[in-house]
Amino acid sequence: MSGATTGSTVPRRQLGRHLRDLRNASRLTVRAAAKQLEWSEPKIWRIETGQVSLRSLDVEAMCRTYGADPELTKGLMGLAKETKNRGWWHAYGDVIPEGFDLYIGLEEAAERLSWYSSELVPGLLQTPDYAETLIRNDNPGVPDEEIARRVEVRIARQALVTRVTAAPTVEVALNEAVLRRPVGGTKVMGSQLERLVELNELDNVAVRVVPFRAGLHAGIMSGPFVKMRFPTNGDGRDTEPPTVYVEGFTGALYLDKPHEIDRYDAAFEAIWGSALNHEATQGLLLQATREL
């Protein structure tokens, strides 16, 4: 997988993991490494978590500090050049929230996206009017031009669902409340529900509704999340570790430790088991549209 298709997100994360492993192998804490490199601790953290691109010279300095052999140093310096590749979303850098470019790059690279959403339709499935309603309400006082560009970004992301080459499998479990909340009014919500019905007929998309009658289910405990899995190498290993993205009001979490992934895997399986099947979901979506 190349940076050309995923922007710089995947190379940044790969490089960050290599450098973190080298630092740990050299028995240096983040504080000690930052002191030796004469950098700040937050800079080390941003590098190791794939938040920033890197110059080859900076990678060379880190490898030298960590005692890496010349061959590995050369390889990581080459990887650093890939961290500067730009995805389509970089043209919208002025309106993408800080740090969200990391998510977009992972979303683009994913082979399978599994959502649980309790309150709103996920961005990949939103109509422009539904998206504009949410973005406008979340950004009071922001000029119309900027709102329009933010909507453009959200809609542009949706191209991956129907792309000809390697379209991801998209699984979305929606709490029934998502259907019953008329975001933007009856007309906007009606169009959004019709869009869900259309998308649910695509071979790579599965939308399922968890009805109120399911009672207490795993999604109530877990809250909303999206789980991303990535293509495997020729030897069957993941090109990127599975990652769970949890969005909060003031920030987001990226979880990729094995025990975290196992917990969310189990949660999604339980949520999916509580959901209606394809036919019943389509029927409920159409019924909710009529009731509007």
Side-chain angles (χ1 to χ4, degrees), residues 218-262:
I220 294 173
M221 304 303 184
S222 69
F225 64 90
V226 57
K227 181 163 59 77
M228 295 172 278
R229 288 193 175 274
F230 303 92
T232 55
N233 290 315
D235 59 4
R237 291 186 301 171
D238 292 327
T239 53
E240 274 289 291
T243 301
V244 170
Y245 175 79
V246 181
E247 188 172 5
F249 190 56
T250 58
L253 294 175
Y254 292 90
L255 309 173
D256 60 8
K257 293 182 175 62
H259 73 276
E260 295 169 334
I261 299 303
D262 289 345

Side-chain angles (χ1 to χ4, degrees), residues 7-83:
S8 61
T9 298
V10 170
R12 276 160 38 191
R13 293 230 310 178
Q14 291 171 341
L15 181 58
R17 285 196 302 275
H18 283 300
L19 292 171
R20 181 191 62 206
D21 291 345
L22 281 172
R23 177 180 59 76
N24 287 332
S26 67
R27 298 183 179 275
L28 285 174
T29 64
V30 171
R31 175 173 294 182
K35 185 175 181 181
Q36 289 198 33
L37 288 161
E38 297 184 351
W39 294 347
S40 67
E41 291 179 45
K43 179 175 180 177
I44 301 288
W45 179 81
R46 286 194 296 270
I47 289 170
E48 292 186 355
T49 54
Q51 304 274 342
V52 293
S53 59
L54 275 177
R55 298 183 310 159
S56 296
L57 288 176
D58 288 338
V59 172
E60 184 180 31
M62 295 178 80
C63 287
R64 186 168 58 250
T65 299
Y66 301 156
D69 65 65
E71 196 61 31
L72 177 58
T73 299
K74 182 179 178 181
L76 294 182
M77 288 174 69
L79 187 56
K81 294 177 182 177
E82 289 192 45
T83 69

Side-chain angles (χ1 to χ4, degrees), residues 1-169:
M1 179 181 307
S2 70
T5 57
T6 63
S8 61
T9 298
V10 170
R12 276 160 38 191
R13 293 230 310 178
Q14 291 171 341
L15 181 58
R17 285 196 302 275
H18 283 300
L19 292 171
R20 181 191 62 206
D21 291 345
L22 281 172
R23 177 180 59 76
N24 287 332
S26 67
R27 298 183 179 275
L28 285 174
T29 64
V30 171
R31 175 173 294 182
K35 185 175 181 181
Q36 289 198 33
L37 288 161
E38 297 184 351
W39 294 347
S40 67
E41 291 179 45
K43 179 175 180 177
I44 301 288
W45 179 81
R46 286 194 296 270
I47 289 170
E48 292 186 355
T49 54
Q51 304 274 342
V52 293
S53 59
L54 275 177
R55 298 183 310 159
S56 296
L57 288 176
D58 288 338
V59 172
E60 184 180 31
M62 295 178 80
C63 287
R64 186 168 58 250
T65 299
Y66 301 156
D69 65 65
E71 196 61 31
L72 177 58
T73 299
K74 182 179 178 181
L76 294 182
M77 288 174 69
L79 187 56
K81 294 177 182 177
E82 289 192 45
T83 69
K84 297 185 181 297
N85 287 337
R86 299 168 68 83
W88 63 262
W89 56 92
H90 285 272
Y92 295 93
D94 56 321
V95 294
I96 292 177
E98 184 179 357
F100 194 64
D101 62 325
L102 175 61
Y103 172 80
I104 296 176
L106 291 174
E107 185 179 74
E108 285 276 328
E111 184 175 67
R112 179 179 293 268
L113 296 153
S114 302
W115 259 279
Y116 170 63
S117 186
S118 60
E119 305 297 331
L120 299 168
V121 175
L124 277 189
L125 308 184
Q126 291 174 8
T127 64
D129 288 340
Y130 188 97
E132 181 180 349
T133 299
L134 297 181
I135 291 169
R136 191 174 293 281
N137 276 270
D138 195 37
N139 296 275
V142 171
D144 288 345
E145 295 80 5
E146 183 171 332
I147 295 295
R149 280 177 56 75
R150 292 190 182 212
V151 173
E152 280 182 33
V153 176
R154 187 162 300 180
I155 301 308
R157 284 169 48 205
Q158 298 176 4
L160 71 89
V161 177
T162 55
R163 68 190 179 197
V164 176
T165 304
T169 297

